[in-house]
Amino acid sequence: MPSYTAPVKDMQFILHNVLNVTAQDVPGYAELEADFTSAILEEAGKLTSEVLAPLNATGDAEGCTLENGVVRTPAGFKAAFDQVRDGGWPGLDLPEQYGGQGMPYVMGSAVGEFFSAANQAFTMYHGLTHGAASAILAHGTEQQKDTYLPKMVSCEWTGTMNLTEPHCGTDLGMMRSKAVPQEDGSYKISGQKIFISAGEHDMADNIIHLVLAKIPGGPEGIKGVSLFIVPKFLVKDDGSLGERNGVSCGKIEEKMGIHGNSTCVMNYDEATGYLLGQEHKGMRAMFTMMNEARIGVGMQGLAQAEVAYQNALDYAKERLQGRDVTGVKNPDGPADPLIVHPDIRRSLMDQKSFAEGARAFMLWGASLVDRAHRMEDKDADGLVSLMTPVIKGFLTDQGFDMTVLAQQVYGGHGYIEESGVSQFVRDARIAMIYEGANGVQALDLVGRKLATDGGKHVMAFFDLVKSFIKDNEGNEALKADFLDPLKAASKDLQAAGMFFMQNGMKNPNAALAGSYDFMHLFGHVCLGLMWAQMGKAALTALEAGADDETFYRTKLTTGRYYMQRRLPATALHLARINSGADTVMELEAANF
Amino acid sequence: MPSYTAPVKDMQFILHNVLNVTAQDVPGYAELEADFTSAILEEAGKLTSEVLAPLNATGDAEGCTLENGVVRTPAGFKAAFDQVRDGGWPGLDLPEQYGGQGMPYVMGSAVGEFFSAANQAFTMYHGLTHGAASAILAHGTEQQKDTYLPKMVSCEWTGTMNLTEPHCGTDLGMMRSKAVPQEDGSYKISGQKIFISAGEHDMADNIIHLVLAKIPGGPEGIKGVSLFIVPKFLVKDDGSLGERNGVSCGKIEEKMGIHGNSTCVMNYDEATGYLLGQEHKGMRAMFTMMNEARIGVGMQGLAQAEVAYQNALDYAKERLQGRDVTGVKNPDGPADPLIVHPDIRRSLMDQKSFAEGARAFMLWGASLVDRAHRMEDKDADGLVSLMTPVIKGFLTDQGFDMTVLAQQVYGGHGYIEESGVSQFVRDARIAMIYEGANGVQALDLVGRKLATDGGKHVMAFFDLVKSFIKDNEGNEALKADFLDPLKAASKDLQAAGMFFMQNGMKNPNAALAGSYDFMHLFGHVCLGLMWAQMGKAALTALEAGADDETFYRTKLTTGRYYMQRRLPATALHLARINSGADTVMELEAANF
């Protein structure tokens, strides 16, 4: 059975040595002293490793069941959810006004990684509540906020997001769900939504569904979509629960993974709904929290990679098989541990260098969100909007690949469900799909974000890379190992951007055929930048005579590994981008 | 529910336009006229698409059950197995002397791909029988052959291979199973074997287990391992079935995929066994059929990629979502089909160019096996031994990746088991593990095969590439699109080999740290060579005024795609190899 240990020290390294949070001028960051963050992370680490991780495999095996309209979550989930609720974890970064703790998003993300790694299916119940609460916070009336937020922040009530319908996922303009206005200002919502995570379950008194639907007579397509609050139980004026609303779970989907989360078909039959935000501006309301939601999914990719890595590492240290070709390492045993073998190390280093780089990338993104929200910093907002599809697409693709590598370390045992590692692969797979499939992320990046505000934000990113290299060019310990590879990778990214500029105007397909590669190219450069920054932070700590020398030396080795072995992927992505659209678009559909 | 159509035309193209089988001097090849192979392939295509494919998803959902020692296969398997048996398919390439049809292995492989693609879990039952029969054929006494082969060739009896034990998979020298010699010349076999595919089931009257075990007093480690025939029911002198042997299924493993195949824990309790081949030479006996078995697994990678691609392609043509950015393509519908989008095409072309290149590679390998076996051609034997880990490792890794790409085309629907595409991913995953995990393939390639016979076979491969380029250098239609990229990729492969030569002697880890990348680098060069040959064959057919011009033009486009978009991966692999072992080996195990 797999286990999980929250990487608290690593998280602290990023928060304090790399991001240097207390020195940042973001409101709320000054309080993030190392002792304080350490206490929170330790506590979250304890809860996730001791309570949530043990329910991961059992939740996978048992799954959710639907009987007479009632969804039962796996054994132990309800008690664990109570513990999570009692600890105030769901509201960690939500406003104090509604019962939250008002901490920055960067802390919510740090803790969120632990939760996702320990039990992704479980964590989605309060994760989606967080998303729904954020939407109400951003777009709700005062009355709506007062009615729903206190209960949602505490997770007494949970939330859902209802977008997809059987015939439309990405292309929501085709939506058929209807919202008919009533005399009292409410709407009657009818239609079917699918793939609704946590759509129905037994862990909360009420479920607040946020539902996209069309008001008849509104504009065609995506411009006629509005967002509604549809509670499972209507809420009376005094805040108590009233009658059951016309919404029900028609089916629980059988999925490849995240079995512990109930993925429901939700049927709305003249359910009472309340407009959230403006009429026909439903997509805009969804998009305001899109960056956070997508960074959160990117984090899931990293989280599954981390927990899979931890277990593969344990296995590689314990499993005795074969002998070190350069000389026996375990003479008293029948064989050496797997970890002596170079190819096993290659796999473990791929995983380790990804997870640590990704963690820095995710927290950097989260800190930009804080900057954007807490300081109304438009540049930070632009930059994180640019980064969001990269964080989501790159971290989930790579995170999944890393779980596959971890599974491979187990040999045949990895294919047997008993080992638990197959679950990491199956759970990680969904993150590449939901919250906008990764192909759509690439399209968003290349088709929209690159050109936003005249390309200002991508230029800001390049400036950031350039300044870092320039500021540190005298640092010999950093130069050959970190700065030079980063410079080369960054050049590849610029060349790709140049190719799009020169060819994309004439032929959009020339850019779009390279969009997926561009997303990965960009991701590698970001992780290269993160590793260069972490390398610098590690060197600084060593120069300052830090206690745990091994920790920082290990960081340097891991970073060098990334720069030497992973970052050169940028050249391959550039080559593919430069090949343009000809062979991609040439075939008639019938000739495939 | 997914469907499958056997790619008969494509297989014919490789057999006749590329490999030109009837012109080869291999015994049995002259009979492989296009009409003859077409009849066989059409018939196999019908059986696999109409009988086996429909049982794939149901077999996955139902799985195998063990009750009171009896294993029940999924509904429909037994009847389908009878049909396969009646058609004589299991013995297609086994000797006529024992009831087979004596066709070359290349035909067995061509047909085998169809079977695996349609239903991998099902096909393993006769696939393993084929492997066990081949071992008896190569190492059995005349009496053993006469006793077992007729029934195994017909699949009245099936076969298994018993290698792995709980504590040893790759490192079989640690094996604990014992074989105690008896006065009558037989042995009593005791021990536990795990991961035994088709170990017990209800589709055959008898199961012939081939079991590795140690005879007490023999040499230590792998040199003391012998191979035994252990029938489920002992066979009397008249060929009828006698008493039940001391072997039983203790458990069916719950796996990530191939649920339709019963993966058993097999317990041997003083079971009667008969030595196959020589005492203590069990590994040698296993290895004689290793090339075939591993090429067969490589073929499974390709097969799952093919069937996943076919279904993703159908979905991409049917699912309406979004509009072509260059102009509406389906004005009468609510949206355009997915296949108009460049990134969907990028994914489909990745899959298509892989499957077709892999098919040529697999059949080329099979033709080398025929040359080695039917002509005792030592050069062909050496070359295919070199290629075997590449075919196995590269095709299964890439094949798995392609199923993941296919799943992604489905968006959220791909994650729901109902769509059937998740099964392709889950089934494909095992091929990277069994018959030697892919890390072990890479080790075999770099640690053993490269240097075999003084490096003669890898030089022969390079000569082959060089001659092809030289022979066609006047062909302008081929040069820029195919020959130049092939030359560049081949240079990368040579440079990698050079790095190993220069560094591997001093430090074996410097080579082994790059072994996995070398396997993939080699695989890409092989597929590049295949595409260059297919490109030439397509051009030749077009020049000759072939009927189906579109077919050959599509081949050229697909080949160009591979050369432009996939083959440049060689440079990345070389960069990783050239980084050596330093960062791979630097960390102490405790510091990971």
Side-chain angles (χ1 to χ4, degrees), chain B residues 227-444:
Chain B
L227 185 59
F228 299 89
I229 298 172
V230 185
K232 174 178 169 185
F233 289 100
L234 296 175
V235 182
K236 294 190 201 155
D237 288 344
D238 65 356
S240 67
L241 297 186
E243 62 179 311
R244 185 75 152 82
N245 205 351
V247 48
S248 61
C249 168
K251 183 186 174 188
I252 298 185
E253 302 285 4
E254 262 193 59
K255 309 182 299 291
M256 186 181 181
I258 50 165
H259 294 153
N261 199 277
S262 59
T263 305
C264 300
V265 173
M266 297 302 295
N267 296 319
Y268 292 85
D269 184 13
E270 302 211 327
T272 299
Y274 310 100
L275 185 68
L276 178 61
Q278 290 176 266
E279 266 191 4
H280 314 316
K281 306 287 186 199
M283 289 311 289
R284 190 186 294 175
M286 297 297 296
F287 268 106
T288 49
M289 48 187 179
M290 204 65 105
N291 287 344
E292 281 173 70
R294 289 181 169 177
I295 292 172
V297 174
M299 179 257 278
Q300 293 177 344
L302 145 67
Q304 290 306 305
E306 168 68 30
V307 66
Y309 164 69
Q310 286 187 12
N311 285 280
L313 175 60
D314 286 349
Y315 193 81
K317 287 180 185 172
E318 282 160 19
R319 174 83 170 174
L320 305 179
Q321 208 80 179
R323 291 293 188 187
D324 187 332
V325 288
T326 62
V328 169
K329 287 288 180 301
N330 177 32
D332 299 334
D336 289 339
L338 285 180
I339 200 167
V340 305
H341 302 301
D343 188 59
I344 294 289
R345 289 176 151 258
R346 184 262 323 158
S347 164
L348 293 172
M349 290 300 291
D350 275 0
Q351 298 170 56
K352 180 177 173 63
S353 65
F354 166 74
E356 295 178 16
R359 182 169 298 122
F361 188 24
M362 184 265 296
L363 286 190
W364 177 47
S367 74
L368 289 172
V369 168
D370 281 328
R371 194 164 274 276
H373 288 183
R374 297 189 164 220
M375 306 174 71
E376 297 190 13
D377 178 335
K378 285 208 183 319
D379 289 338
D381 192 51
L383 188 56
V384 78
S385 293
L386 172 71
M387 290 298 156
T388 295
V390 182
I391 294 176
K392 198 281 184 182
F394 181 70
L395 296 195
T396 60
D397 276 358
Q398 296 263 319
F400 172 76
D401 287 349
M402 296 304 146
T403 62
V404 174
L405 284 184
Q407 184 182 29
Q408 190 73 12
V409 171
Y410 283 74
H413 296 273
Y415 199 65
I416 307 298
E417 292 293 353
E418 202 179 334
S419 73
V421 67
S422 148
Q423 185 188 355
F424 301 136
V425 175
R426 292 184 290 96
D427 285 1
R429 184 67 184 87
I430 187 57
M432 296 157 71
I433 300 173
Y434 61 19
E435 204 63 54
N438 286 356
V440 176
Q441 303 296 329
L443 179 64
D444 179 45

Side-chain angles (χ1 to χ4, degrees), chain B residues 32 71 88 105 187 244 308 406:
Chain B
L32 301 180
V71 171
Y105 179 63
Y187 292 78
R244 185 75 152 82

Side-chain angles (χ1 to χ4, degrees), chain A residues 52-119:
Chain A
L52 303 192
L55 295 174
N56 196 41
T58 55
D60 180 59
E62 191 181 334
C64 296
T65 50
L66 170 66
E67 219 173 305
N68 300 326
V70 178
V71 171
R72 215 172 42 234
T73 52
F77 269 41
K78 197 170 178 344
F81 202 70
D82 285 340
Q83 261 185 278
V84 169
R85 195 153 33 200
D86 292 348
W89 295 105
L92 193 77
D93 58 356
L94 289 170
E96 289 169 283
Q97 183 185 356
Y98 300 108
Q101 301 190 46
M103 278 186 220
Y105 179 64
V106 76
M107 282 308 291
S109 298
V111 165
E113 186 203 315
F114 298 173
F115 274 77
S116 270
N119 198 324

Side-chain angles (χ1 to χ4, degrees), chain A residues 165-172 174 194-195 251 253-258 263 309 313 317 319-326 334-335 339-343 345-346 348-350 352 400-401 404-405 407-408 411-418 422 425-430 432-433 437-439 442 507-509 512-517 550 553-554 557-558 560-561 564-566 568-569 572 575-577 579-592, chain B residues 165-172 174 194-195 251 253-258 263 309 313 317 319-326 334-335 339-343 345-346 348-350 352 400-401 404-405 407-408 411-418 422 425-430 432-433 437-439 442 507-509 512-517 550 553-554 557-558 560-561 564-566 568-569 572 575-577 579-592:
Chain A
E165 299 184 6
H167 64 292
C168 66
T170 300
D171 191 355
L172 289 170
M174 294 199 284
I194 62 170
F195 305 159
K251 183 186 174 187
E253 302 285 4
E254 262 193 60
K255 309 181 298 290
M256 185 182 182
I258 52 168
T263 305
Y309 165 69
L313 176 60
K317 286 179 184 173
R319 174 83 170 173
L320 306 179
Q321 208 79 178
R323 291 293 188 187
D324 187 332
V325 289
T326 64
I339 200 168
V340 304
H341 303 300
D343 188 58
R345 289 175 154 260
R346 183 263 322 160
L348 292 171
M349 290 300 292
D350 275 0
K352 180 177 173 63
F400 172 75
D401 287 348
V404 173
L405 284 183
Q407 184 183 30
Q408 190 73 10
H413 296 273
Y415 199 66
I416 307 297
E417 292 294 352
E418 202 178 335
S422 147
V425 176
R426 292 184 289 98
D427 285 2
R429 184 67 185 88
I430 189 57
M432 296 156 71
I433 300 173
N438 286 355
N507 176 14
N509 288 339
L512 296 181
S515 58
Y516 213 87
D517 282 283
T550 305
R553 294 221 173 279
T554 299
T557 304
T558 310
R560 280 209 311 279
Y561 182 92
Q564 288 177 17
R565 291 231 164 199
R566 306 297 297 172
L572 171 58
R576 297 186 65 182
I577 290 165
S579 77
D582 291 352
T583 57
V584 177
M585 303 307 296
E586 195 169 300
L587 295 185
E588 294 292 323
N591 297 337
F592 265 78
Chain B
E165 299 184 6
H167 64 292
C168 66
T170 300
D171 191 354
L172 290 170
M174 295 199 282
I194 63 171
F195 305 159
K251 183 186 174 188
E253 302 285 4
E254 262 193 59
K255 309 182 299 291
M256 186 181 181
I258 50 165
T263 305
Y309 164 69
L313 175 60
K317 287 180 185 172
R319 174 83 170 174
L320 305 179
Q321 208 80 179
R323 291 293 188 187
D324 187 332
V325 288
T326 62
I339 200 167
V340 305
H341 302 301
D343 188 59
R345 289 176 151 258
R346 184 262 323 158
L348 293 172
M349 290 300 291
D350 275 0
K352 180 177 173 63
F400 172 76
D401 287 349
V404 174
L405 284 184
Q407 184 182 29
Q408 190 73 12
H413 296 273
Y415 199 65
I416 307 298
E417 292 293 353
E418 202 179 334
S422 148
V425 175
R426 292 184 290 96
D427 285 1
R429 184 67 184 87
I430 187 57
M432 296 157 71
I433 300 173
N438 286 356
N507 176 13
N509 288 340
L512 297 182
S515 57
Y516 213 86
D517 282 283
T550 305
R553 295 222 174 278
T554 300
T557 304
T558 311
R560 280 208 312 277
Y561 182 92
Q564 288 179 14
R565 291 230 163 198
R566 307 297 297 173
L572 171 59
R576 298 186 64 180
I577 289 165
S579 77
D582 290 355
T583 57
V584 177
M585 302 309 295
E586 196 169 300
L587 295 185
E588 294 292 324
N591 297 336
F592 265 79

Side-chain angles (χ1 to χ4, degrees), chain B residues 97-111:
Chain B
Q97 184 185 356
Y98 300 108
Q101 302 191 45
M103 280 186 220
Y105 179 63
V106 76
M107 282 308 291
S109 299
V111 165

Side-chain angles (χ1 to χ4, degrees), chain A residues 48-293:
Chain A
T48 52
S49 64
E50 292 176 9
V51 178
L52 303 192
L55 295 174
N56 196 41
T58 55
D60 180 59
E62 191 181 334
C64 296
T65 50
L66 170 66
E67 219 173 305
N68 300 326
V70 178
V71 171
R72 215 172 42 234
T73 52
F77 269 41
K78 197 170 178 344
F81 202 70
D82 285 340
Q83 261 185 278
V84 169
R85 195 153 33 200
D86 292 348
W89 295 105
L92 193 77
D93 58 356
L94 289 170
E96 289 169 283
Q97 183 185 356
Y98 300 108
Q101 301 190 46
M103 278 186 220
Y105 179 64
V106 76
M107 282 308 291
S109 298
V111 165
E113 186 203 315
F114 298 173
F115 274 77
S116 270
N119 198 324
Q120 180 173 332
F122 177 94
T123 299
M124 288 168 66
Y125 290 97
H126 60 268
L128 282 153
T129 309
H130 191 287
S134 300
I136 295 174
L137 195 61
H139 301 283
T141 61
E142 287 310 312
Q143 195 211 342
Q144 286 173 336
K145 291 190 217 179
D146 290 341
T147 304
Y148 301 106
L149 287 182
K151 301 282 193 182
M152 291 177 78
V153 168
S154 69
C155 263
E156 271 178 89
W157 300 350
T158 63
T160 72
M161 312 296 284
N162 292 240
L163 289 79
T164 306
E165 299 184 6
H167 64 292
C168 66
T170 300
D171 191 355
L172 289 170
M174 294 199 284
M175 179 171 297
R176 289 179 196 146
S177 290
K178 292 248 165 318
V180 181
Q182 305 296 303
E183 295 212 340
D184 66 356
S186 72
Y187 292 77
K188 290 287 180 206
I189 314 286
S190 298
Q192 188 178 64
K193 295 289 182 177
I194 62 170
F195 305 159
I196 308 308
S197 302
E200 178 60 60
H201 60 85
D202 56 359
M203 303 199 297
D205 296 334
N206 202 4
I207 301 177
I208 311 304
H209 303 288
L210 297 195
V211 184
L212 285 178
K214 285 185 170 178
I215 301 168
E220 286 290 301
I222 199 70
K223 290 183 176 144
V225 167
S226 308
L227 185 60
F228 299 89
I229 299 174
V230 184
K232 175 178 167 183
F233 289 100
L234 295 176
V235 182
K236 294 189 200 156
D237 289 344
D238 64 357
S240 67
L241 296 185
E243 61 180 312
R244 185 76 153 80
N245 205 351
V247 48
S248 62
C249 167
K251 183 186 174 187
I252 298 185
E253 302 285 4
E254 262 193 60
K255 309 181 298 290
M256 185 182 182
I258 52 168
H259 294 153
N261 199 278
S262 59
T263 305
C264 301
V265 173
M266 298 301 294
N267 295 320
Y268 293 86
D269 184 13
E270 302 211 328
T272 299
Y274 311 100
L275 185 69
L276 179 60
Q278 291 174 265
E279 264 189 6
H280 313 314
K281 305 287 185 198
M283 289 311 290
R284 190 186 294 175
M286 296 298 295
F287 269 106
T288 49
M289 48 186 179
M290 204 65 103
N291 286 343
E292 281 173 70

